[in-house]
Amino acid sequence: MVRAIIGANWGDEGKGKITDMLAGQSDVVVRFQGGANAGHTIITDQGKFALHLLPSGVLNENVVNVIGMGVALDIEAFFWELREVEGRCGHTPRVLISDRAQVLTEYHVALDCYEEERLGKGSFGSTKSGIAPFYSDKYAKIGLQVCQLFDKDLLRKRIQNVADQKNVLLEGLYHQPPLDPDALTEKYYALGQLLKPVTVDVAQYLHRALREGKRILLEGQLGTLRDPDNGIFPFTTSSSPLAGYGTVGAGIPPRAIEEIIAVTKAYSSCVGAGPFVTELFGEEGEELRKRGGDAGEYGAKTGRPRRVGWFDAVATRYGCMLQGATDCALTNLDVLSYLDEIKVCVGYRIDGEITRDFPVTPLVEKAEPVYETLPGWKTDIRGIRSYADLPEKCRAYVEYLEKEIEVPITYLSNGPKREEMIAR
Ligand code: GDP
């Protein structure tokens, strides 16, 4: 059976921790989209791990971790991260990589940086990891598949073709040095050789695993609102973070996905540009940012301060709906314990009309939040392990959110550590 863990919002919902927990009940953990452009924070007895490209199952010795064909594979980042994790986690993580995955190269990163610089203030808040140029090349059919790295002549031809196009851009638009096809061929051929021993046909591998009754966990990166088709375009990412995309980015049959767990925070947070209706500013925002997450709300990848705000039920209900969520995991509930009152956004006022449905970006940009106010519980809830032991006002808050998002909240996280979880 396949279970998916995905984000209901803008990313950084705390998926890493939930994935790490459920990885213990899985045989295989699979990444199916995105690249090293986000970060999952997992805290174990060995300390804090910020994972970017590796599936969160690497911290579990018995799990096979798979990087699917939908992922943007930065090979150097992959080996760097693998060595870092290996050095600290006390075992050798088992990782397999799709021979159809495409390679995120150094020129994708460079082009991403040059373009952000060119756009200046009008930029979309890229993490400058090369993701948008990578996916552009994939769909323009000039990307490099892992299997193509193994044949030097083929690789040289493909890279020459890339250079013919990119060098016009590099020299004409960005005024930067051109690509050197020979040097790039040598580099990526050598990296391909390093990768070869862990490369497999991922679709075959996963279909066989399913036939053998293995438990597969699909791990999404970012969240619904970053989906290029259904999110806050153009403040979106370049691959689909929807559970349904696991059928493409990992070759999983759609009917095999039985459980879809949408992760959301008990408040909202968002890194980068784009409309964010419930955003808090000034002291109120600073206080929440300082108290949020395990060490304040700062991006795991970029260190950028995250924008924070009240729980947005309009965005989250939409986020869960698009994911087809069967369950919801609510994280960071402990963070709200300091508040006298907690607001929840239950509607958007747009041009004088109130809506409960998340609209297109130009309308989200005009939306004002309509709030319900709930009483805070004002007690530290870390250390509580059963739902019944939570303060009544805290349970009322959870149940209010559940009603609003229309998905059962079956997991609650009340602290950053592995064991700080309540199952309902
Ligand atoms: P992901 O990308 O969805 O995995 O999210 P991140 O790991 O980037 O962000 C989640 C942040 O919240 C990290 O700093 C986690 O350590 C932290 N975190 C996760 N769950 C909880 C929780 O229940 N309480 C607190 N205080 N922090 C949490």
Side-chain angles (χ1 to χ4, degrees):
M1 70 86 93
V2 181
R3 197 183 233 180
I5 297 181
I6 36 65
N9 306 105
W10 301 265
D12 307 316
E13 296 91 348
K15 295 177 294 295
K17 178 182 159 176
I18 309 291
T19 313
D20 172 59
M21 176 188 82
L22 295 179
Q25 307 165 16
S26 309
D27 302 301
V28 186
V29 178
V30 188
R31 279 282 308 270
F32 59 94
Q33 46 87 220
N37 55 326
H40 287 321
T41 315
I42 300 175
I43 300 173
T44 72
D45 298 339
Q46 281 87 27
K48 182 166 160 173
F49 293 84
L51 301 177
H52 301 296
L53 193 54
L54 293 179
S56 298
V58 288
L59 302 178
N60 277 272
E61 203 168 352
N62 302 321
V63 172
V64 176
N65 295 277
V66 172
I67 295 186
M69 43 290 214
V71 171
L73 180 68
D74 178 335
I75 305 176
E76 289 164 288
F78 166 76
F79 281 116
W80 189 87
E81 202 174 309
L82 188 64
R83 277 189 208 112
E84 155 88 12
V85 169
E86 209 164 359
R88 287 174 52 211
C89 76
H91 65 267
T92 304
R94 297 158 73 190
V95 186
L96 298 174
I97 293 179
S98 166
D99 50 8
R100 291 173 191 269
Q102 297 200 16
V103 181
L104 188 144
T105 63
E106 59 179 44
Y107 52 82
H108 293 124
V109 179
L111 286 163
D112 203 357
C113 297
Y114 300 150
E115 181 60 8
E116 281 288 292
E117 208 167 287
R118 189 182 74 85
L119 290 171
K121 277 209 166 73
S123 82
F124 302 114
S126 163
T127 56
K128 299 182 190 161
S129 318
I131 298 295
F134 164 87
Y135 282 105
S136 306
D137 281 4
K138 176 169 174 168
Y139 292 109
K141 294 169 279 193
I142 58 166
L144 306 172
Q145 276 192 323
V146 165
C147 57
Q148 294 173 332
L149 304 186
F150 305 153
D151 176 339
K152 212 180 211 177
D153 292 337
L154 172 68
L155 182 62
R156 177 71 178 70
K157 274 196 205 113
R158 299 216 30 107
I159 291 181
Q160 182 63 54
N161 182 42
V162 171
D164 290 346
Q165 286 194 16
K166 304 286 180 206
N167 287 348
V168 177
L169 266 184
L170 283 167
E171 295 181 302
L173 182 64
Y174 300 121
H175 311 294
Q176 295 291 338
L179 303 182
D180 174 350
D182 289 326
L184 285 168
T185 304
E186 290 305 325
K187 173 175 172 176
Y188 286 97
Y189 179 76
L191 287 173
Q193 293 303 304
L194 287 179
L195 214 55
K196 215 169 184 178
V198 293
T199 333
V200 295
D201 180 333
V202 159
Q204 292 291 357
Y205 179 84
L206 293 178
H207 280 249
R208 199 171 310 126
L210 279 172
R211 282 197 297 275
E212 288 166 3
K214 299 255 165 71
R215 295 156 307 170
I216 297 175
L217 190 62
L218 281 178
E219 173 180 19
Q221 177 221 35
L222 297 169
T224 310
L225 300 169
R226 300 295 184 192
D227 181 66
D229 292 294
N230 300 287
I232 47 171
F233 182 84
F235 306 101
T236 39
T237 191
S238 307
S239 67
S240 174
L242 299 186
Y245 193 72
T247 64
V248 179
I252 295 233
R255 63 177 186 282
I257 308 177
E258 289 176 27
E259 244 176 73
I260 299 174
I261 303 166
V263 185
T264 185
K265 272 183 182 150
Y267 51 92
S268 298
S269 76
C270 164
V271 181
F276 182 35
V277 177
T278 64
E279 183 162 10
L280 286 170
F281 300 95
E283 259 174 49
E284 234 183 337
E286 201 43 55
E287 178 87 43
L288 183 54
R289 180 161 32 253
K290 254 189 359 229
R291 292 173 178 270
D294 69 298
E297 290 285 359
Y298 301 93
K301 174 75 188 169
T302 56
R304 292 184 284 189
R306 290 180 185 145
R307 300 155 74 193
V308 293
W310 299 117
F311 187 86
D312 186 337
V314 177
T316 310
R317 183 169 51 246
Y318 176 77
C320 289
M321 180 184 86
L322 264 291
Q323 294 285 6
T326 56
D327 297 80
C328 177
L330 187 70
T331 70
N332 283 272
L333 189 58
D334 53 301
V335 171
L336 301 182
S337 301
Y338 72 102
L339 291 159
D340 294 321
E341 286 184 333
I342 307 174
K343 286 186 187 161
V344 177
C345 172
V346 294
Y348 288 174
R349 186 176 287 109
I350 303 168
D351 296 330
E353 304 243 340
I354 292 176
T355 178
R356 273 169 51 85
D357 294 337
F358 191 81
V360 292
T361 310
L363 294 181
V364 184
E365 274 169 339
K366 288 208 270 183
E368 286 165 38
V370 177
Y371 286 123
E372 259 320 308
T373 303
L374 280 79
W377 48 90
K378 301 281 286 179
T379 340
D380 185 8
I381 57 166
R382 280 185 75 170
I384 294 178
R385 290 290 164 270
S386 96
Y387 187 67
D389 293 341
L390 285 173
E392 195 188 331
K393 285 179 180 145
C394 181
R395 278 183 281 133
Y397 181 72
V398 172
E399 285 157 34
Y400 185 84
L401 298 190
E402 184 173 66
K403 186 172 73 50
E404 281 296 317
I405 63 173
E406 299 169 7
V407 176
I409 296 176
T410 41
Y411 301 95
L412 297 168
S413 169
N414 59 338
K417 299 221 178 94
R418 246 183 187 172
E419 64 282 4
E420 291 178 304
M421 285 292 298
I422 299 172
R424 263 177 95 204

